[in-house]
């Protein structure tokens, strides 16, 4: 295993993530989640989508989901322009 950085990736570029939680949140929660887009889905789930700076920021968002007491369904890293929620292929 190599410790070399991938020269094609820019560490300053944000990665878009989708966090799916059980239950509906109001759009007023977008500010608390760092400006992520709050999408209410049929079936009662909420999808939080937006750029996340790094792993520490992602863990901070997941901590907020935990603090709300809402069940976490999934966390996906998505490619820009990908809107169907599938995992990014790397």
């Amino acid at each position: 295993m190599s410790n070399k950085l991938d020269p094609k990736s820019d560490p300053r570029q944000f990665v878009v993530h989708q966090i799916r939680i059980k239950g509906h949140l109001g759009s007023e929660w977008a500010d608390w989640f760092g400006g992520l887009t709050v999408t209410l889905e049929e079936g009662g789930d909420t999808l939080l989508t937006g750029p996340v700076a790094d792993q520490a920021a992602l863990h901070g968002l997941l901590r907020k989901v935990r603090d709300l007491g809402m069940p976490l369904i999934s966390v996906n890293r998505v490619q820009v322009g990908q809107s169907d929620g599938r995992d990014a292929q790397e």
Side-chain angles (χ1 to χ4, degrees), residues 27-87:
S27 59
E28 66 273 8
W29 287 96
D31 286 340
W32 197 59
F33 280 104
L36 295 181
T37 301
V38 176
T39 305
L40 305 181
E41 297 186 314
E42 292 182 27
D45 296 340
T46 298
L47 186 63
L48 305 169
T49 306
V52 179
D54 55 24
Q55 288 292 302
L58 178 60
H59 283 269
L61 292 169
L62 295 175
R63 193 170 26 253
K64 289 181 177 191
V65 170
R66 180 206 61 202
D67 291 349
L68 283 175
M70 299 179 81
L72 176 66
I73 296 173
S74 65
V75 177
N76 294 306
R77 179 178 171 176
V78 296
Q79 295 174 353
V80 175
Q82 181 178 329
S83 61
D84 62 6
R86 292 178 295 148
D87 289 330

Side-chain angles (χ1 to χ4, degrees), residues 4-11:
K4 293 181 183 177
L5 293 175
D6 181 1
K8 294 179 279 184
S9 66
D10 182 353

